[in-house]
Amino acid sequence: MQNNIFLIGFMGSGKSSIGVRLARKLKRTFVDTDREIEKVTGMTVAELFRRHGEVRFRSEEKLMLNKLTSRENLVIAAGGSLTPEEGSREIFGKNSIIICLKAPPEEIFARVNRKKGSRPLLKKAFTLEDVEKLMEQYRDYEEIADFTVNTGGKPQEQIVDEIIDRLREGQC
Ligand code: S3P
């Protein structure tokens, strides 16, 4: 397996925590687009949103994706906007494997609540309803993925094993 593996999905779906473990198990390098953008710009994602706005952040995401698609053997936690417009998978580079992670709104709410302040798309005091509304407006991640894994109510190691099984089944 040499092709890059992209994890996509709504915030709090587990892209980073699962990505690190998946990369370790597959002996690949893990890359989180948010962390890479922070290194390049010298600002946290929250700071970047605050000082330069969402449009600038989205363009940094696209630039980062371009850079990463020239590498291989990575597990990449992709930022929220990194789903192709009009259903084209080209933006992830040729032959990439795209995995969608999802979880029920209640669990997303509990997860993002633990790391308040790091999600600029949610206001300071957000409710379960705010999360549900945002999820409704959001892109349909499942549509463009090779497969989807539900991360709700499962231990992380089990999720990683499930992903590896699916990759082997599909000979990805
Ligand atoms: C975003 C998700 C966040 C972060 C930024 C925008 C999104 O990352 O990139 O707040 O548009 O869904 P996580 O998915 O790691 O929360």
Side-chain angles (χ1 to χ4, degrees):
M1 292 192 285
Q2 297 294 315
N3 306 326
N4 289 331
I5 296 174
F6 281 91
L7 300 179
I8 63 169
F10 194 73
M11 65 178 83
S13 58
K15 302 180 296 277
S16 307
S17 48
I18 299 302
V20 176
R21 287 165 179 79
L22 181 66
R24 205 181 293 143
K25 250 190 163 157
L26 295 175
K27 298 191 171 43
R28 285 168 174 251
T29 302
F30 173 70
V31 179
D32 185 321
T33 57
D34 281 354
R35 301 293 84 76
E36 294 302 307
I37 291 168
E38 289 178 341
K39 275 190 226 160
V40 167
T41 62
M43 283 175 265
T44 63
V45 168
E47 221 178 324
L48 190 57
F49 263 76
R50 204 169 48 242
R51 290 170 63 175
H52 301 285
E54 185 174 353
V55 173
R56 163 77 189 278
F57 175 72
R58 298 303 177 201
S59 82
E60 294 290 348
E61 277 189 323
K62 296 268 172 353
L63 282 174
M64 186 51 64
L65 188 64
N66 243 318
K67 236 165 133 179
L68 294 174
T69 49
S70 65
R71 295 170 62 187
E72 57 178 26
N73 214 25
L74 304 175
V75 171
I76 301 162
S81 74
L82 294 178
T83 55
E85 296 87 15
E86 293 151 27
S88 155
R89 293 168 43 118
E90 292 283 293
I91 64 158
F92 291 102
K94 268 195 194 138
N95 306 322
S96 317
I97 301 153
I98 304 170
I99 305 170
C100 172
L101 300 184
K102 70 169 186 185
E106 294 74 15
E107 194 153 337
I108 297 278
F109 175 70
R111 290 178 190 170
V112 292
N113 227 345
R114 270 182 241 132
K115 267 181 115 184
K116 268 196 192 132
S118 63
R119 263 68 181 226
L121 293 176
L122 287 165
K123 53 182 192 270
K124 267 206 180 98
F126 61 89
T127 62
L128 171 61
E129 215 177 42
D130 295 326
V131 171
E132 283 170 337
K133 270 196 201 134
L134 198 57
M135 282 176 92
E136 266 168 38
Q137 302 164 10
Y138 242 63
R139 303 149 190 95
D140 196 349
Y141 295 104
E142 283 190 69
E143 219 167 75
I144 57 125
D146 291 298
F147 60 88
T148 297
V149 173
N150 197 329
T151 65
K154 293 177 196 162
Q156 292 182 337
E157 284 313 311
Q158 185 185 325
I159 299 163
V160 170
D161 289 343
E162 201 175 315
I163 292 175
I164 292 175
D165 286 346
R166 297 285 299 269
L167 289 171
R168 299 221 161 105
E169 270 168 34
Q171 306 284 304
C172 292

